[in-house]
């Protein structure tokens, strides 16, 4: 489970860099798509963390 969480966090960081590059290049449509993907990954991270916290109880 921890490896999966770390993989998601890595993907999130990579998307942040890609979004920054799109801002600099003025590629608004691509940036919006990347932001949607990033949000989806952020939701997955939160879900994994919630499950992990519940398992500890």
């Amino acid at each position: 489970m921890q490896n999966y969480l770390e993989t998601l966090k890595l993907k999130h960081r990579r998307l942040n860099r890609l979004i920054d590059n799109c801002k600099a290049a003025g590629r608004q449509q691509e940036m919006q798509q990347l932001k949607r993907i990033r949000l989806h990954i952020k939701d997955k991270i939160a879900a994994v963390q919630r499950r992990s916290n519940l398992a500890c109880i």
Side-chain angles (χ1 to χ4, degrees):
M1 184 69 78
Q2 188 64 29
N3 287 337
Y4 180 63
L5 184 59
E6 291 303 317
T7 300
L8 289 173
K9 288 180 179 181
L10 179 64
K11 286 181 182 182
H12 191 269
R13 285 192 297 271
R14 287 180 180 165
L15 283 167
N16 280 336
R17 286 192 293 266
L18 285 172
I19 289 167
D20 288 342
N21 290 339
C22 286
K23 284 180 189 175
R27 299 184 316 234
Q28 295 298 316
Q29 187 174 2
E30 184 179 356
M31 184 176 64
Q32 291 302 320
Q33 290 173 328
L34 292 172
K35 283 183 174 184
R36 280 192 286 278
I37 295 167
R38 181 182 64 179
L39 181 59
H40 182 71
I41 290 174
K42 186 175 180 180
D43 290 342
K44 283 185 177 183
I45 290 170
V48 169
Q49 288 175 331
R50 277 194 306 273
R51 276 187 263 143
S52 177
N53 287 341
L54 289 176
C56 292
I57 296 177

